[in-house]
Amino acid sequence: MLSKGTKDTLPQEWQELAQAAIEASKRAYVPYSNFQVGAALLDSTGNIHFGCNVENGAYSPSNCAERTALFRAIADGHKARSFKAIAVTGDTAEPITPCGVCRQVLSELCEPHMPVLLTNLKGDWQLTNMVELLPGAFSLIDERNMENT
Amino acid sequence: MLSKGTKDTLPQEWQELAQAAIEASKRAYVPYSNFQVGAALLDSTGNIHFGCNVENGAYSPSNCAERTALFRAIADGHKARSFKAIAVTGDTAEPITPCGVCRQVLSELCEPHMPVLLTNLKGDWQLTNMVELLPGAFSLIDERNMENT
Amino acid sequence: MLSKGTKDTLPQEWQELAQAAIEASKRAYVPYSNFQVGAALLDSTGNIHFGCNVENGAYSPSNCAERTALFRAIADGHKARSFKAIAVTGDTAEPITPCGVCRQVLSELCEPHMPVLLTNLKGDWQLTNMVELLPGAFSLIDERNMENT
Amino acid sequence: MLSKGTKDTLPQEWQELAQAAIEASKRAYVPYSNFQVGAALLDSTGNIHFGCNVENGAYSPSNCAERTALFRAIADGHKARSFKAIAVTGDTAEPITPCGVCRQVLSELCEPHMPVLLTNLKGDWQLTNMVELLPGAFSLIDERNMENT
């Protein structure tokens, strides 16, 4: 973990993105878990993309906040691995941690060292990245390059 | 199927949404299939939400265009089952058809009779809805209501 | 729907498979929904493969009973589209209906007219197939063949 | 990583499980990626459960080898977190690494320190576990316990 802290010590440059993640979480569609999660993704032009979790009665088609933010930014024309930062939040005891599916998607669409801020509604925070969150990530691109060389 | 036709017969009221779906498809992230799909979702205020497919090297975390459009609209504060219409397009011989995962998500987040326009890049089209696309759809909400009565 | 009925009218040839689905449902791992589903898949050699739903706290990695049965049969060396029948059951008011994800997987791995028996714990049943459950199913194989011709 | 090596140094106690993973990989249904993956899961009674990847034209309903092995073992009546070890293999340059979805499922269904053997067809191997593969894993069970205390 790169660094961590409580509400009073969140670096100034993260405050807008962390607040955006909280706002996004309020829009979650969570009739099954009642567990609201929000994400806010910063693109290379300085704009913020909101994401929330959207559940489904069949469970497996459910989507998490991080993925919603990433997919929508791609649909707005942003390129994979052009993003600058993401913040995620939820009502957890410790800073929320992304599920493995989201880690796989973050790993595909973001640079390995892009900063990832994990927070909770109390303001506890932890700064990390994909190298830490998905060590030795699977990448079909890497495998296919390998097979070609 | 409610109705169908070719490029020349697409009803006027669908032309903007169908064109938006084509624009959205150009933003697809499809390094594995090279199969671009676009969707355009009309909300209750008249705004259009773009969606494209976003693939992943691990395959199962991939997301389709229809879901991208729906998830982002929820994250923008729109309510489930408030949407007015969706158009989907791709480079297929016949009007493209949604995968089962998207049908399940559409079934959860849209009214059963909301119009769904399926098209292809040649302009062939088919107008349908979720009653036709996912007959007897699974709904946990229905089951839980049942258990309570 | 090909036919339907109640417990007393289930055709003799389906009784073993329907009972196997009930047995399979008891093995479900469902700490989040408490909603047990079972499936029983008949292969071309007459053997039955059990499946149950297996949930995950992150929701989207959850797997349904139908898919468990199909995936395991493939892992035992059975070929896609070699299966003879599947029965699915759960504690629902009407015969249970597969989610869209399972319909997509059934559509990939089974012949369109392979019989699918939907039941519930009371013994109500409905006989159907993939033509009815996923009309105009999406198939990348079809699209790729199309592009090659 | 707990330890690693090449074909000649694979510990004796892992050889049967590693070979079973190779056998399982040959049964993969991979018409889209042509990338065969196999897994072999050891249960508490000493039996081995085979898993392979099973792809889908819609990509997101695809299932990986590790998940196939785990889901089928649950459907055979084995309890979550009762498993002893898993081996995974594929034709990769380095020992194959599980995708994030599989890490999430492994994290739900296996003890954090259960040994996970990653290999490739050349016999390179790496011994790890879920503490290493999914640091700070998301768990809804943990969150719900937290809310109750």
Side-chain angles (χ1 to χ4, degrees):
Chain A
M1 159 183 358
L2 303 181
S3 61
K4 67 174 180 176
T6 55
K7 190 171 187 177
D8 295 341
T9 63
L10 181 65
Q12 174 70 31
E13 76 254 28
W14 280 102
Q15 294 185 3
E16 185 183 3
L17 208 62
Q19 188 59 41
I22 293 173
E23 288 306 309
S25 75
K26 297 173 184 168
R27 300 169 181 180
Y29 173 79
V30 289
Y32 307 107
S33 73
N34 291 313
F35 184 67
Q36 294 180 312
V37 182
L41 177 70
L42 185 67
D43 70 34
S44 62
T45 71
N47 283 329
I48 293 176
H49 303 259
F50 277 34
C52 61
N53 50 339
V54 181
E55 296 181 349
N56 190 285
Y59 277 33
S60 48
S62 299
N63 199 57
C64 295
E66 301 92 315
R67 283 179 274 160
T68 297
L70 285 160
F71 295 149
R72 71 179 301 165
I74 296 286
D76 277 345
H78 295 276
K79 295 299 174 194
R81 290 172 286 282
S82 70
F83 304 108
K84 294 304 176 193
I86 192 167
V88 192
T89 199
D91 188 14
T92 48
E94 301 293 322
I96 199 170
T97 179
C99 82
V101 189
C102 286
R103 296 186 196 198
Q104 183 68 37
V105 171
L106 283 159
S107 175
E108 174 97 29
L109 299 177
C110 302
E111 289 292 344
H113 292 277
M114 187 193 84
V116 175
L117 183 75
L118 309 178
T119 65
N120 61 17
L121 296 188
K122 295 178 293 181
D124 301 322
W125 60 275
Q126 175 183 337
L127 197 56
T128 184
N129 60 34
M130 293 318 299
V131 175
E132 292 188 335
L133 287 171
L134 200 66
F138 175 78
S139 165
L140 193 59
I141 291 173
D142 293 347
E143 293 307 330
R144 288 190 166 166
N145 287 348
M146 180 251 335
E147 288 167 356
N148 291 337
T149 58
Chain B
M1 157 181 1
L2 304 181
S3 61
K4 67 176 180 175
T6 55
K7 191 171 186 176
D8 294 341
T9 63
L10 181 65
Q12 173 71 30
E13 75 255 30
W14 280 101
Q15 294 186 3
E16 184 183 3
L17 209 62
Q19 187 59 40
I22 293 172
E23 288 306 308
S25 75
K26 298 174 184 169
R27 301 169 181 178
Y29 173 80
V30 289
Y32 307 107
S33 72
N34 291 313
F35 184 68
Q36 295 180 311
V37 182
L41 177 70
L42 185 67
D43 70 34
S44 62
T45 71
N47 283 328
I48 293 176
H49 303 260
F50 276 35
C52 61
N53 50 339
V54 181
E55 295 181 350
N56 189 285
Y59 278 32
S60 49
S62 299
N63 200 55
C64 295
E66 300 92 315
R67 283 179 273 160
T68 297
L70 285 160
F71 296 149
R72 72 179 301 164
I74 297 286
D76 277 345
H78 294 278
K79 295 299 174 195
R81 289 172 286 282
S82 71
F83 303 108
K84 295 303 175 193
I86 192 167
V88 193
T89 199
D91 187 14
T92 47
E94 300 294 321
I96 198 169
T97 178
C99 82
V101 190
C102 286
R103 295 187 196 197
Q104 183 68 37
V105 172
L106 283 159
S107 176
E108 174 96 30
L109 299 176
C110 302
E111 289 292 344
H113 290 278
M114 187 193 84
V116 175
L117 182 75
L118 309 178
T119 64
N120 62 15
L121 296 188
K122 295 178 293 181
D124 301 324
W125 60 273
Q126 174 183 336
L127 196 56
T128 183
N129 60 34
M130 293 316 301
V131 175
E132 292 188 333
L133 287 171
L134 200 66
F138 175 78
S139 164
L140 194 59
I141 290 173
D142 293 346
E143 292 308 330
R144 288 190 166 165
N145 287 348
M146 179 243 348
E147 288 167 357
N148 291 336
T149 57
Chain C
M1 156 183 359
L2 304 181
S3 60
K4 67 174 181 177
T6 55
K7 191 171 186 177
D8 295 340
T9 62
L10 181 65
Q12 173 71 28
E13 75 253 30
W14 280 101
Q15 294 186 2
E16 184 182 3
L17 208 61
Q19 188 58 41
I22 293 173
E23 288 307 307
S25 74
K26 297 174 183 169
R27 301 168 182 181
Y29 174 80
V30 288
Y32 307 107
S33 73
N34 291 314
F35 184 68
Q36 295 180 311
V37 183
L41 176 71
L42 184 67
D43 70 33
S44 62
T45 71
N47 282 328
I48 293 175
H49 303 260
F50 276 34
C52 61
N53 50 339
V54 181
E55 296 182 349
N56 190 285
Y59 277 31
S60 48
S62 299
N63 200 57
C64 295
E66 299 92 315
R67 284 179 272 159
T68 297
L70 285 159
F71 296 150
R72 73 178 299 164
I74 297 286
D76 276 346
H78 295 277
K79 295 300 174 194
R81 289 172 287 282
S82 71
F83 303 109
K84 295 303 175 194
I86 192 168
V88 193
T89 199
D91 188 15
T92 48
E94 300 293 321
I96 198 169
T97 177
C99 82
V101 189
C102 286
R103 295 186 196 197
Q104 184 68 38
V105 172
L106 283 158
S107 174
E108 175 96 29
L109 300 177
C110 302
E111 289 293 343
H113 291 279
M114 186 193 84
V116 174
L117 182 75
L118 309 178
T119 65
N120 62 15
L121 297 189
K122 295 177 294 180
D124 300 324
W125 60 274
Q126 174 182 338
L127 196 56
T128 184
N129 60 34
M130 293 316 301
V131 175
E132 292 188 333
L133 288 171
L134 200 67
F138 175 78
S139 164
L140 193 59
I141 290 173
D142 293 345
E143 292 306 331
R144 288 188 166 167
N145 287 348
M146 181 243 348
E147 288 167 356
N148 292 337
T149 57
Chain D
M1 156 183 0
L2 304 181
S3 61
K4 66 175 179 175
T6 54
K7 191 170 185 176
D8 295 340
T9 63
L10 181 65
Q12 173 72 29
E13 75 253 30
W14 280 101
Q15 293 186 2
E16 185 183 3
L17 208 62
Q19 188 58 39
I22 293 172
E23 289 305 308
S25 75
K26 297 174 184 169
R27 301 169 182 181
Y29 174 79
V30 289
Y32 307 107
S33 73
N34 291 313
F35 184 68
Q36 295 179 312
V37 183
L41 176 70
L42 184 66
D43 70 35
S44 62
T45 71
N47 282 329
I48 293 176
H49 303 260
F50 277 34
C52 61
N53 50 340
V54 180
E55 296 182 349
N56 190 285
Y59 277 31
S60 48
S62 298
N63 200 56
C64 295
E66 300 92 315
R67 284 179 273 160
T68 298
L70 285 159
F71 296 149
R72 73 180 298 166
I74 296 286
D76 276 345
H78 295 277
K79 296 299 173 194
R81 290 172 286 282
S82 71
F83 304 108
K84 295 304 176 193
I86 192 168
V88 193
T89 200
D91 187 14
T92 48
E94 301 293 322
I96 199 168
T97 177
C99 82
V101 190
C102 286
R103 295 186 196 197
Q104 183 68 37
V105 172
L106 283 159
S107 176
E108 175 96 28
L109 299 177
C110 303
E111 289 292 343
H113 291 278
M114 187 193 84
V116 175
L117 183 75
L118 309 178
T119 64
N120 62 16
L121 296 189
K122 296 177 293 181
D124 301 324
W125 60 274
Q126 175 183 335
L127 197 56
T128 184
N129 60 36
M130 293 317 301
V131 175
E132 293 188 333
L133 287 171
L134 200 67
F138 175 78
S139 165
L140 193 59
I141 290 173
D142 293 346
E143 293 307 331
R144 289 189 166 167
N145 287 348
M146 182 250 333
E147 289 167 355
N148 292 338
T149 58

Coordinates of all heavy atoms in Angstrom, one line a residue, chain B residues 52 67 137:
Chain B
C52 N -21.1 1.1 -25.7 CA -20.3 0.3 -26.6 C -19.9 -1.0 -25.9 O -19.9 -1.0 -24.6 CB -19.2 1.0 -27.3 SG -17.9 1.6 -26.1
R67 N -25.5 -3.0 -22.0 CA -25.3 -2.9 -20.6 C -24.6 -1.6 -20.3 O -24.9 -0.9 -19.3 CB -24.6 -4.1 -20.0 CG -25.5 -5.3 -19.9 CD -24.7 -6.5 -19.4 NE -24.0 -7.3 -20.5 CZ -23.0 -8.1 -20.4 NH1 -22.5 -8.3 -19.2 NH2 -22.5 -8.7 -21.4
A137 N -39.2 -14.2 -18.4 CA -37.9 -13.8 -17.8 C -37.8 -14.2 -16.3 O -38.8 -14.0 -15.5 CB -37.6 -12.4 -18.0

